[in-house]
Amino acid sequence: MRRISILLLTMLLSVIMVHAQKREFRGAWIQAVNGQFMGMSTRQMQQTLTYQLDELQKDGVNAIIFQVRPECDALYESQLEPWSRFLTRQQGRAPQPYWDPLQWMVEQCHQRGMELHAWINPFRAKTKGTTALAPNHVVKRHPELCFAYDGQYLLNPAYQANRDYICKVAEDIVSRYDIDGFHIDDYFYPYPVAGLAIPDQAQFEADRRGFSYIGDWRRDNVNLFIKQLYETIHRCKPWVKFGVSPFGIYRNRKSDSQLGSLTSGLQNYDDLYADVLTWIDNGWVDYCVPQIYWQIGHPTADYETLIKWWDKHASKRPLFIGEDVERTCKYPDLMDSRSHQMAAKHALHQDMRHVQGTVLWYAKAVVDNIGNYGMVLRNHYWKYPALQPLMPFIDSKRPKSPRKVKPVWTSGGYILFWQVPKGKNWGDIANKFVIYRFAKGEKINLEDPSKIIAITDKTMYQLPYRNGSQKFTYVVTALDRLQNESKAKKVKVKL
């Protein structure tokens, strides 16, 4: 793998501070469907995840998107679906010693100041590699609601019963776990295989709902599901963010001269029947993460073309970009063959008006530091902490300021204490605090992320006392569930 040249990194250092973002979604996907946890003991999996989370925290990641339902199964305790074979090698078998991976991940991420977004595959009911299904699996219980396609089984989006069922699963997860987000990926109707038709003509003929073309009918089936899922999540817990990660191409220009991009690949709208722009424009999702996994200069799906397209057309909801770490590090920068494309892609992010974050595919590639990717995040791009992007369409009211902020001398040195401000409703309650530090003479600028020294759910912070000769100003603010930030409370102390 190519490494970013020392010369280039030195040049980058001069501009990173200018572009450092105080608010940025810095996510990473941790998937189960690739089998990376299959057959691990409870202890082994916890050790693996602990190491990954520790490294990702050092790299600046502030949100984990954790796959908990690859094929109508569960990497959590569920009364609705069987335990996943991607956890225990056998669908329906509980982990031994017993544990709940989702509950554990929620706790571990929150301890590290990270959000946890639970990721499900909504309609996929069986992957190609699965050979045995548990007796309580939905394909076994309701085969009439599913269809087979290219070695897979899928819940048929045409049936309201399936849309209700997936929403019931979502409600179960959202109501029982303290997750920050609920996430679905790009599997709606199946990825098309040449010569293989989707077996839903009979359902179309039986219930056209006024549609003359089956493609429009399929898109409407998915639209109905997305709207229902959004409403289900927010009815259960209004603060849980609903995100979708669609395939990277909406439509090609040859299919749509007005909205298509100058690409020639698979299309969300025409091939997967996913009308992503309708979801965004109608406010049925809270954030969108298009999977722009290709390189700059790709002949049919150029990265630069696509990030500009999404920035232009998908701005009505927060936009984060799905990045493929391995491919980014595989291909050389078109302007400097000594470097891979990480720096060039980051520069494009900075140039986009509406891009507010990144989600990395996949977490282990970052942890393994492929192409020095993790270290560059850690030491440069994501060196300083970042709050989550604002979502005023969910909640825009900020909490009250922390109370009684005061440094106290103890036997262990100075400790900064404060009290939680009062709040009645979920949108008013503070659940985290931001601590800033400014040296004597420095301007108090809360938009400078380099001054953030901690984002914590605690109400105390150990100060680094030396000899009591230097003056510092510490600022503490409160955050609510959507990370709206309170007014500041300042205190001066000699350290």
Side-chain angles (χ1 to χ4, degrees):
M1 293 293 180
R2 296 175 183 267
R3 291 181 177 269
I4 292 180
S5 66
I6 299 298
L7 175 62
L8 181 58
L9 281 180
T10 302
M11 294 169 60
L12 287 171
L13 279 172
S14 63
V15 298
I16 283 172
M17 274 305 302
V18 175
H19 294 298
Q21 302 294 314
K22 178 180 173 178
R23 291 187 179 271
E24 186 176 19
F25 191 90
R26 300 171 176 177
W29 280 291
I30 296 182
Q31 80 277 42
V33 74
N34 68 338
Q36 66 171 320
F37 306 123
M38 191 181 293
M40 282 187 179
S41 68
T42 298
R43 182 180 179 186
Q44 287 173 327
M45 186 169 170
Q46 289 179 352
Q47 287 177 334
T48 298
L49 286 169
T50 295
Y51 175 71
Q52 290 187 5
L53 292 176
D54 285 346
E55 292 302 299
L56 292 168
Q57 181 185 22
K58 295 172 188 174
D59 293 337
V61 170
N62 63 15
I64 297 296
I65 302 177
F66 181 55
Q67 189 176 31
V68 299
R69 185 182 183 262
E71 49 177 2
C72 293
D73 53 358
L75 275 85
Y76 61 97
E77 186 179 282
S78 173
Q79 299 300 313
L80 302 175
E81 297 186 310
W83 283 101
S84 175
R85 78 175 180 90
F86 295 108
L87 180 64
T88 64
R89 289 192 183 274
Q90 179 182 327
Q91 193 178 92
R93 177 191 290 169
Q96 295 295 331
Y98 186 84
W99 71 306
D100 185 326
L102 176 54
Q103 180 60 36
W104 188 88
M105 283 291 286
V106 168
E107 294 169 358
Q108 293 294 314
C109 286
H110 287 176
Q111 287 174 16
R112 293 167 174 81
M114 298 173 172
E115 289 196 343
L116 189 284
H117 294 225
W119 160 25
I120 75 163
N121 300 74
F123 291 101
R124 187 172 64 195
K126 187 191 85 68
T127 59
K128 288 184 179 182
T130 299
T131 57
L133 297 172
N136 64 329
H137 191 271
V138 65
V139 172
K140 291 284 191 178
R141 291 185 291 110
H142 294 290
E144 74 282 2
L145 297 179
C146 310
F147 63 79
Y149 189 90
D150 189 35
Q152 304 177 80
Y153 276 99
L154 294 100
L155 299 176
N156 192 332
Y159 292 123
Q160 181 63 47
N162 284 335
R163 301 194 287 268
D164 291 343
Y165 173 67
I166 300 167
C167 287
K168 185 177 181 181
V169 170
E171 185 174 17
D172 178 56
I173 293 171
V174 173
S175 64
R176 292 195 296 117
Y177 296 91
D178 188 23
I179 60 174
D180 303 285
F182 192 89
H183 187 86
I184 63 173
D185 55 24
D186 54 332
Y187 289 90
F188 303 103
Y189 280 88
Y191 275 66
V193 176
L196 191 60
I198 297 172
D200 62 351
Q201 187 68 34
Q203 288 81 36
F204 174 57
E205 297 296 344
D207 184 22
R208 285 176 173 252
R209 299 195 307 276
F211 291 101
S212 58
Y213 172 54
I214 196 170
D216 294 331
W217 174 80
R218 288 172 179 162
R219 273 184 290 276
D220 188 61
N221 291 333
V222 179
N223 287 347
L224 290 170
F225 164 70
I226 294 292
K227 183 175 185 290
Q228 183 180 350
L229 181 57
Y230 173 84
E231 291 171 349
T232 298
I233 292 165
H234 285 286
R235 183 173 60 249
C236 186
K237 287 181 181 175
W239 60 87
V240 173
K241 307 165 189 176
F242 173 42
V244 61
S245 179
F247 185 73
I249 299 173
Y250 177 70
R251 299 193 86 184
N252 298 313
R253 182 70 58 86
K254 63 184 178 183
S255 299
D256 187 332
S257 60
Q258 298 299 314
L259 282 178
S261 54
L262 284 171
T263 52
S264 56
L266 186 84
Q267 305 167 99
N268 275 292
Y269 186 93
D270 302 84
D271 301 313
L272 302 177
Y273 305 99
D275 189 358
V276 183
L277 291 190
T278 288
W279 312 341
I280 293 169
D281 291 344
N282 282 287
W284 296 341
V285 297
D286 296 317
Y287 67 86
C288 180
V289 192
Q291 299 171 24
I292 311 180
Y293 287 169
W294 304 279
Q295 71 271 24
I296 301 171
H298 190 286
T300 61
D302 172 51
Y303 179 96
E304 183 172 356
T305 297
L306 285 166
I307 192 173
K308 290 179 177 178
W309 186 94
W310 285 98
D311 185 69
K312 178 180 179 180
H313 293 285
S315 61
K316 291 187 178 180
R317 281 293 185 263
L319 174 64
F320 317 140
I321 302 301
E323 298 279 1
D324 187 308
V325 173
E326 289 185 340
R327 290 192 202 180
T328 296
C329 298
K330 178 181 178 181
Y331 292 95
D333 188 319
L334 299 186
M335 304 302 292
D336 183 356
S337 61
R338 298 169 299 172
S339 168
H340 56 55
Q341 293 194 353
M342 183 183 189
K345 287 185 175 182
H346 182 80
L348 282 170
H349 277 239
Q350 298 298 328
D351 288 342
M352 298 301 107
R353 181 178 177 184
H354 303 292
V355 172
Q356 299 182 56
T358 307
V359 184
L360 303 172
W361 178 260
Y362 47 98
K364 189 175 183 298
V366 185
V367 172
D368 291 344
N369 197 32
I370 291 175
N372 214 31
Y373 199 102
M375 283 298 161
V376 173
L377 290 178
R378 181 178 306 190
N379 296 322
H380 304 292
Y381 296 133
W382 291 356
K383 179 177 181 180
Y384 302 115
L387 306 186
Q388 296 295 339
L390 292 171
M391 295 190 177
F393 47 87
I394 300 178
D395 174 43
S396 60
K397 184 179 179 181
R398 60 185 182 179
K400 294 181 179 179
S401 302
R403 298 184 300 137
K404 299 183 179 180
V405 179
K406 184 178 181 180
V408 177
W409 180 259
T410 71
S411 59
Y414 261 125
I415 297 179
L416 187 64
F417 288 97
W418 60 90
Q419 293 182 7
V420 179
K422 294 180 180 180
K424 294 181 179 180
N425 302 314
W426 69 264
D428 305 327
I429 297 172
N431 75 331
K432 286 188 176 65
F433 303 91
V434 187
I435 307 167
Y436 304 81
R437 170 181 159 118
F438 298 90
K440 182 181 179 181
E442 282 187 318
K443 181 181 179 182
I444 305 299
N445 177 14
L446 301 191
E447 294 306 309
D448 182 353
S450 71
K451 301 304 178 182
I452 298 175
I453 57 173
I455 301 171
T456 179
D457 58 0
K458 305 294 189 297
T459 55
M460 57 183 291
Y461 183 78
Q462 179 78 51
L463 299 180
Y465 183 81
R466 290 183 176 84
N467 54 20
S469 61
Q470 281 190 289
K471 288 184 178 180
F472 294 93
T473 299
Y474 280 84
V475 177
V476 184
T477 61
L479 302 175
D480 63 17
R481 291 294 305 236
L482 272 296
Q483 299 213 343
N484 294 298
E485 189 173 19
S486 74
K487 293 182 179 179
K489 283 295 182 71
K490 298 182 289 185
V491 64
K492 294 182 179 181
V493 59
K494 283 187 177 181
L495 300 175

